[in-house]
Amino acid sequence: MTDPANILPASDDSLSDAAARLRSGGLVAFPTETVYGLGADARDDHIVARIFEAKNRPSFNPLIVHVPDLESAAAFGEMGPRAEQLAQAFWPGPLTFVVPRRADCGLSLLVSAGLDTVALRAPAHLLARDLLKRFGGPIAAPSANAAGEVSPTLAAHVAQSLGAKVDIILDGGACAVGLESTVIDLCGDRPALLRHGAVTLEQLETVLGRIDDATRPAEGQAPRSPGQLARHYAPSIPVRMNATEAAADEALLGFGPDTPDCTQSLSPSGDLTEAAANLFAALRALDTPGHRAIAVKPIPETGLGRAINDRLRRAAEAHNR
Ligand code: TXA
Ligand code: MG
């Protein structure tokens, strides 16, 4: 069987093509030491929306932002002494830090799924490092597989799962670790492990001392999936879905052509990728003391519309409890 046309063996040429694709708003799958990532410019809401679209994810989980080193990580997140100590010990490598976003980070809001935190990782794989250097910016990358499938550890897996939805698949052979990075949350008083990975809890504890294991369900509670471990962003005022019109004290968030009366529109043309790219910024913009609630016009439950509705539903439910 011949390789699909979008799989490029690693070379000087294919690496500069891949960096150019990232710069022009494309999707590039690349190898890391853990699994293959589906990469895009982490500063661009529209292209980050295309990651969710390509993966066909029914919800917006925050994504990992890949950086070359601690210094560049510090431009996006508030690293602090604990992250610095861990980075000294384990970066570059299969360890991801969740830290507060810097106000001036310039990252897409969608990359953090609207949260005030960001997940940062400096991968060790030489091709990933080379790509980061040539691109010269932060790369958002979840595992390069469709929702519900296992993470890819070969370029061929990426092609099987995502096919032509990816512009370039950089082939770097098999991933050495073969399982996703360890995720540790450093935002609270005590560090908390969010996902097990190649760097073990014991290794982390030798550097930081006691770490909470948030991957295990608390007594009497159902286990949570990794995506659910992230907190969810919700506006401080209620959200009302499938609204046809808004009350005088409500903001109206529109979608599609016939919404001239709306306060703001997710996409005047009814484009779901554009709507996803605008979602978190729009909710934040309308979440002001002047509005009692945010009424949202109906969003079709297809493609990215499912992830948009999932997030709106969570925001609506947060106020109904
Ligand atoms: O090994 C890996 O980590 C791979 C390679 C490509 O780097 N990437 C990966 O990304 O597994 P993804 O998107 O499949 O997983 C990201 C994990 C999810 O469990 C997500 O919930 C968590 O990191 N995460 C990301 N941002 C977060 C945040 N702000 N707060 C809490 N959890 C976060
Ligand atoms: Mg994944």
Side-chain angles (χ1 to χ4, degrees):
M1 200 184 93
T2 54
D3 279 344
N6 58 349
I7 296 189
L8 301 184
S11 70
D12 189 47
D13 280 353
S14 62
L15 276 158
S16 50
D17 284 356
R21 273 307 173 93
L22 288 174
R23 274 193 291 274
S24 63
L27 293 182
V28 172
F30 63 98
T32 80
E33 70 279 21
T34 59
V35 300
Y36 276 75
L38 178 58
D41 187 336
R43 298 163 295 196
D44 181 340
D45 274 319
H46 197 267
I47 182 66
V48 172
R50 281 192 51 212
I51 292 182
F52 288 100
E53 189 175 35
K55 284 182 65 91
N56 201 16
R57 267 197 183 172
S59 62
F60 293 123
N61 295 330
L63 306 178
I64 296 173
V65 175
H66 297 71
V67 294
D69 50 32
L70 179 62
E71 195 188 337
S72 49
F76 304 111
E78 285 162 24
M79 297 300 282
R82 291 182 303 200
E84 279 166 22
Q85 274 176 282
L86 288 177
Q88 297 285 339
F90 301 107
W91 270 15
L95 178 62
T96 299
F97 304 130
V98 174
V99 295
R101 275 169 74 107
R102 293 181 74 98
D104 60 351
C105 67
L107 294 173
S108 149
L109 276 179
L110 192 54
V111 102
S112 294
L115 297 170
D116 294 323
T117 58
V118 62
L120 294 162
R121 165 160 117 84
H125 198 291
L126 290 178
L127 286 179
R129 298 184 63 72
D130 193 330
L131 182 64
L132 279 162
K133 190 167 156 212
R134 289 175 196 240
F135 174 54
I139 303 179
S143 52
N145 54 280
E149 291 181 9
V150 294
S151 295
T153 55
L154 287 175
H157 296 164
V158 181
Q160 280 156 19
S161 184
L162 300 174
K165 292 174 184 167
V166 196
D167 295 306
I168 292 178
I169 304 170
L170 264 184
D171 191 350
C175 301
V177 176
L179 130 168
E180 293 91 338
S181 62
T182 305
V183 181
I184 183 169
D185 182 348
L186 297 173
C187 299
D189 291 339
R190 283 250 291 267
L193 189 71
L194 298 184
R195 181 171 77 182
H196 288 288
V199 177
T200 65
L201 182 62
E202 291 72 24
Q203 284 177 300
L204 294 170
E205 285 186 330
T206 57
V207 177
L208 287 193
R210 178 90 163 74
I211 293 171
D212 290 336
D213 185 353
T215 65
R216 270 193 302 203
E219 200 72 41
Q221 278 181 3
R224 295 176 292 181
S225 77
Q228 289 174 314
L229 288 167
R231 289 175 302 111
H232 288 292
Y233 165 75
S236 66
I237 56 177
V239 168
R240 188 165 68 80
M241 296 175 70
N242 299 314
T244 45
E245 55 192 24
D249 56 357
E250 286 181 325
L252 184 59
L253 185 54
F255 176 83
D258 40 67
T259 47
D261 52 335
C262 64
T263 322
Q264 194 161 329
S265 177
L266 287 175
S267 168
S269 66
D271 177 319
L272 288 167
T273 310
E274 183 183 33
N278 290 332
L279 178 66
F280 292 107
L283 289 175
R284 280 172 185 262
L286 299 180
D287 186 3
T288 64
H291 298 133
R292 184 185 50 79
I294 303 173
V296 191
K297 289 264 176 154
I299 314 277
E301 187 74 16
T302 55
L304 273 179
R306 288 182 302 144
I308 297 172
N309 284 325
D310 168 77
R311 185 43 44 96
L312 291 171
R313 218 169 281 127
R314 288 173 194 273
E317 282 164 8
H319 284 270
N320 289 340
R321 273 191 221 115

